[in-house]
Amino acid sequence: MDTARQPDLTRQDILDAAFCEIHRCGFQAASIANILANTGLTKGALYHHFPTKQALGLAVIDEVIRGRLEGLIFKPLRESERPVEMLLEIIATIDRKVPSDFVMLGCPLNNLMQEMSPLDEAFKERLGGVLGVWQKTVEGALKRGQKQGEIRAEVDYKAAALFVVSAWEGCIGVAKSMQSPKAFSICMKQLHGYVQGLMTAKAEKGRHKGG
Amino acid sequence: MDTARQPDLTRQDILDAAFCEIHRCGFQAASIANILANTGLTKGALYHHFPTKQALGLAVIDEVIRGRLEGLIFKPLRESERPVEMLLEIIATIDRKVPSDFVMLGCPLNNLMQEMSPLDEAFKERLGGVLGVWQKTVEGALKRGQKQGEIRAEVDYKAAALFVVSAWEGCIGVAKSMQSPKAFSICMKQLHGYVQGLMTAKAEKGRHKGG
DNA sequence: ACACATCCATACCGGTTGGTATGTAATGCG
DNA sequence: CGCATTACATACCAACCGGTATGGATGTGT
């Protein structure tokens, strides 16, 4: 039946619409009424599945944002046997793998971090958790690369990972504020160069043959 | 007289309080009532000096934020005869020259860009203007450094400048979301390394003697 | 001293906000 | 089948929002 009750599907619809609205307007400016208008549902549905607006926001982080980053970045990076190559490839191709409105509207994770981390402890924890996974994943990639002799031994891979993630978010942020996908590409290319600069001469040379 | 009327001082009080409130809550969540409560003034004063909340926000950008960046970064960078040294020094010491709440609350410019650029054309223009000055200033420093033989000839100084500014904002942003001044220092040190990587071997070597 | 513009305070307004109380229809279970 | 629980819709609320209309106090030019 078409109009049958499907609570978890309803819940997902709300989550998706909330993600979209938050992505466009930020969390605080996100309107419950707008979210519901985009789903065709009403407040009864929303407040049945989520006790407060904050809980809805946290669920968006855990179930939507984290999931997307997981599939797009974390998982490939963890599972690759040549993590440095994979990191470079992701950085080089991310501008084509992501819908263009993700440059115009910014990284959903970064947007929320900037807005909510100083204001709400719960948000800060969840967002910091996702960011921490990102950082640890890059860290692991660099560490493994160091063991494989692709990353120079003297590189502080923890600091480098922190910087990669920071610069990454910075590139999206500036490109967003310029409303320019082109600036994003240029910027990420420089980040690509930074990571290459961490590599041993041998590994860097061999890369071009392999690629 | 103490309670005498001083319109431009009143205006400045409003601007300062607005800057502070916006820095804490963002522009949209910034409450006119809060701003006024912190000044002891009322709406009559505010709407006498500024026609709308948007105009107040734009004035904060032009008169407060731009001024601070000008004094802290732009001016030293423009006026130095050894711009690359100066850029490195600013990057290395910025974490000590700025009050700690600027890490906890983020860069006021970046905060507003992330929040408002996709939403409001006027904001996007003003913010983009300030960001453009920043970018051009770094660009000029790198370009002059190239002429002086400190920056390698093959470096794309425009792209590098864009990346420096992006990574810079990214470092503040991530440090803010972690609520960690320490992370900011670590991150900026990596950016310092990136800029050093743009230098010629000779210039980089001479730097440690000179410093 | 008078007229007038500037400067600011007070009171008020319609609209929107997140949240709730109530009602009702569908579903799962014994 | 009967009943309790789940899953929503509807109507409503106080609080707050940015903005305005009005009025009075303070200079300022003449």
Side-chain angles (χ1 to χ4, degrees):
Chain A
M1 198 176 181
D2 217 15
T3 60
R5 296 220 183 159
Q6 305 177 18
D8 42 359
L9 197 145
T10 297
R11 197 186 121 98
Q12 193 60 43
D13 282 350
I14 295 175
L15 273 177
D16 290 338
F19 168 77
C20 193
E21 169 85 359
I22 292 173
H23 195 199
R24 276 217 321 271
C25 315
F27 175 76
Q28 299 180 92
S31 162
I32 300 280
N34 273 7
I35 293 173
L36 294 172
N38 288 338
T39 61
L41 299 167
T42 62
K43 288 193 177 182
L46 198 157
Y47 284 98
H48 174 73
H49 290 282
F50 306 94
T52 64
K53 187 189 179 187
Q54 173 185 334
L56 174 61
L58 297 179
V60 165
I61 297 173
D62 288 340
E63 302 180 36
V64 183
I65 295 179
R66 173 173 233 141
R68 296 202 182 206
L69 286 173
E70 182 68 33
L72 203 64
I73 299 177
F74 303 166
K75 196 179 175 214
L77 216 47
R78 265 196 306 261
E79 294 182 352
S80 171
E81 292 179 1
R82 305 175 65 188
V84 181
E85 309 279 332
M86 180 58 75
L87 177 60
L88 285 169
E89 188 187 324
I90 294 178
I91 290 175
T93 62
I94 188 72
D95 58 341
R96 291 188 295 270
K97 282 187 181 170
V98 100
S100 73
D101 65 326
F102 269 65
V103 174
M104 307 308 272
L105 294 178
C107 168
L109 175 66
N110 193 40
N111 290 357
L112 278 178
M113 288 196 303
Q114 299 309 313
E115 181 186 4
M116 298 304 297
S117 282
L119 297 180
D120 189 294
E121 191 66 24
F123 270 89
K124 183 196 152 192
E125 267 188 39
R126 309 290 184 107
L127 293 164
V130 179
L131 185 71
V133 172
W134 193 344
Q135 186 187 339
K136 288 289 175 191
T137 306
V138 174
E139 215 176 286
L142 294 178
K143 192 176 182 178
R144 283 161 61 204
Q146 222 168 27
K147 279 187 183 174
Q148 294 175 357
E150 295 205 330
I151 298 290
R152 286 184 281 109
E154 72 270 21
V155 167
D156 179 349
Y157 61 87
K158 287 193 178 185
L162 179 63
F163 179 70
V164 166
V165 175
S166 301
W168 197 324
E169 295 287 23
C171 289
I172 304 182
V174 166
K176 166 188 170 186
S177 65
M178 292 180 168
Q179 297 283 288
S180 162
K182 177 97 181 179
F184 180 56
S185 298
I186 293 174
C187 223
M188 289 300 283
K189 198 167 184 177
Q190 294 298 117
L191 179 59
H192 191 271
Y194 167 81
V195 174
Q196 280 187 325
L198 301 177
M199 296 175 73
T200 57
K202 185 190 53 144
E204 192 169 350
K205 192 181 172 188
R207 221 183 73 80
H208 297 288
K209 293 181 184 174
Chain B
M1 202 178 183
D2 218 18
T3 61
R5 297 227 185 148
Q6 304 178 18
D8 43 358
L9 196 144
T10 297
R11 195 187 122 97
Q12 192 61 43
D13 283 351
I14 296 175
L15 272 177
D16 289 340
F19 168 78
C20 192
E21 170 84 359
I22 292 174
H23 196 199
R24 277 217 320 272
C25 314
F27 175 75
Q28 299 180 91
S31 161
I32 299 280
N34 273 8
I35 293 172
L36 294 171
N38 288 339
T39 62
L41 299 167
T42 61
K43 288 192 176 182
L46 197 157
Y47 283 97
H48 173 74
H49 290 283
F50 305 95
T52 63
K53 187 189 180 188
Q54 173 184 334
L56 174 62
L58 297 179
V60 165
I61 296 172
D62 288 340
E63 302 181 36
V64 183
I65 295 178
R66 175 173 231 141
R68 297 201 183 205
L69 285 173
E70 181 68 33
L72 203 63
I73 299 176
F74 302 165
K75 197 179 174 211
L77 215 48
R78 264 197 306 262
E79 294 181 352
S80 171
E81 292 179 1
R82 305 177 63 187
V84 181
E85 310 278 332
M86 180 57 75
L87 178 60
L88 286 169
E89 188 187 324
I90 293 177
I91 291 175
T93 63
I94 189 72
D95 57 342
R96 291 189 294 272
K97 282 187 180 170
V98 102
S100 74
D101 64 325
F102 269 65
V103 174
M104 306 309 273
L105 295 178
C107 168
L109 176 66
N110 194 40
N111 290 358
L112 279 177
M113 288 195 303
Q114 299 309 313
E115 181 186 5
M116 298 304 297
S117 282
L119 297 181
D120 189 294
E121 190 66 25
F123 270 89
K124 183 196 151 192
E125 268 188 40
R126 309 290 183 110
L127 294 164
V130 179
L131 185 71
V133 172
W134 192 344
Q135 186 187 339
K136 287 290 175 190
T137 306
V138 174
E139 215 176 285
L142 294 179
K143 193 175 181 178
R144 284 160 61 203
Q146 223 170 23
K147 279 188 183 171
Q148 294 175 358
E150 295 204 329
I151 298 290
R152 283 184 284 108
E154 73 269 22
V155 167
D156 179 349
Y157 61 87
K158 287 194 177 184
L162 180 63
F163 180 70
V164 166
V165 175
S166 300
W168 196 324
E169 295 287 24
C171 290
I172 304 183
V174 167
K176 167 187 169 187
S177 64
M178 292 180 167
Q179 297 282 288
S180 162
K182 177 100 181 176
F184 180 55
S185 298
I186 293 173
C187 222
M188 288 301 282
K189 199 168 183 177
Q190 293 298 116
L191 179 59
H192 191 271
Y194 168 81
V195 174
Q196 280 186 324
L198 301 176
M199 296 175 73
T200 57
K202 185 190 58 150
E204 192 170 350
K205 191 180 172 187
R207 222 184 71 80
H208 298 289
K209 292 181 182 173

